[in-house]
Amino acid sequence: MVRCAVMTFWLLAHRRIHLPKRCVGLRLHFADGSASKVYRETVVDRTATTDPAVLLVGFRLRAVRGQLAHALFRFESLFNTPLFVGFPGFVSKLWVAHDSNDIYRGAYEWDGATLAEDYVRTLWRVLALVCVPGSIHYEIVPGLTRGELLRDPATLDTRALAQTREALRLTAAEQPPA
C-alpha cells in the first residue's frame, strides 16, 4: 500500500492520471438482471499493455442507504483513487454506480492477471471494513481488455470461469441516448 501511495503521488505530479468522460453514462447490464451506469472512469498514461486482464469487482456497502447517501459515496469515492491507481499493472477502472440490489461494481483493466490478483487481495482487507460481510466478489479474466469486454460482453461466456457470479457477468453495454 505504501508503494502504491508513493506511485500515486508520482503519477499525479506528472499528470498521468486522467478522468475521461467517454464511458461515463454507459449503462451496463448483468446476468442477474440488474443494470447500472458508469459514473466515473480513471485511466493512467502508461506503456502499451502486454498481458491484459479484466478484473470485475462487486460489493455492497454496509451503511450506505438512500439517494443522498449513495450520492455522497460516489463523490467520496474519488478520494479512494490512491488505493489502486499506483498499483503495478493498473491500466483503467470504470466506477459503476449501485444497482437495484445496492451492489457497486468496478470494471478494471490490468497489465497482468497476477498483478490484478495481488491488488484485489491487498484491497480486500480495506474494503471488508465498510462492506456487508460476504458481499465482496471478484472475477479476473486473463487475456481480455476492457474495450473488448465492452464491445462484446458475450466473450465472458467463453473466457471467464464457469462459476462467475451472475452479478459480475456483464451481458450488455449500451451508450446513453444522445
Side-chain angles (χ1 to χ4, degrees), residues 38-99:
V38 173
Y39 69 92
R40 183 178 301 124
E41 180 177 11
T42 303
V43 176
V44 171
D45 288 339
R46 50 169 285 123
T47 59
T49 303
T50 58
D51 184 21
V54 166
L55 166 63
L56 301 167
V57 177
F59 57 89
R60 188 176 294 121
L61 293 168
R62 202 179 296 227
V64 177
R65 300 288 179 267
Q67 287 189 18
L68 178 59
H70 284 295
L72 288 171
F73 172 75
R74 288 190 303 272
F75 171 76
E76 177 279 329
S77 66
L78 180 63
F79 301 106
N80 297 328
T81 302
L83 295 176
F84 64 85
V85 80
F87 266 85
F90 174 80
V91 177
S92 66
K93 176 182 180 180
L94 295 180
W95 306 67
V96 185
H98 72 289
D99 64 13

Side-chain angles (χ1 to χ4, degrees), residues 49 51-55 108-113 116 140-146:
T49 303
D51 184 21
V54 166
L55 166 63
Y108 299 77
E109 183 175 336
W110 288 86
D111 194 353
I140 298 171
V141 187
L144 184 64
T145 68
R146 190 189 75 181

Side-chain angles (χ1 to χ4, degrees), residues 102-115:
D102 284 336
I103 297 173
Y104 280 89
R105 296 177 182 90
Y108 299 77
E109 183 175 336
W110 288 86
D111 194 353
T114 302
L115 295 173

Side-chain angles (χ1 to χ4, degrees), residues 14 19 27 29 41-42 47 58 66-67 76 79 85 87 92 99 106 113-114 119 121 124-125 129 135 137 147 151 173:
H14 291 87
L19 301 173
R27 189 161 180 81
H29 297 266
E41 180 177 11
T42 303
T47 59
Q67 287 189 18
E76 177 279 329
F79 301 106
V85 80
F87 266 85
S92 66
D99 64 13
T114 302
Y119 160 74
R121 290 186 181 278
W124 189 287
R125 291 180 208 101
L129 297 172
S135 73
H137 302 287
R151 280 189 300 280

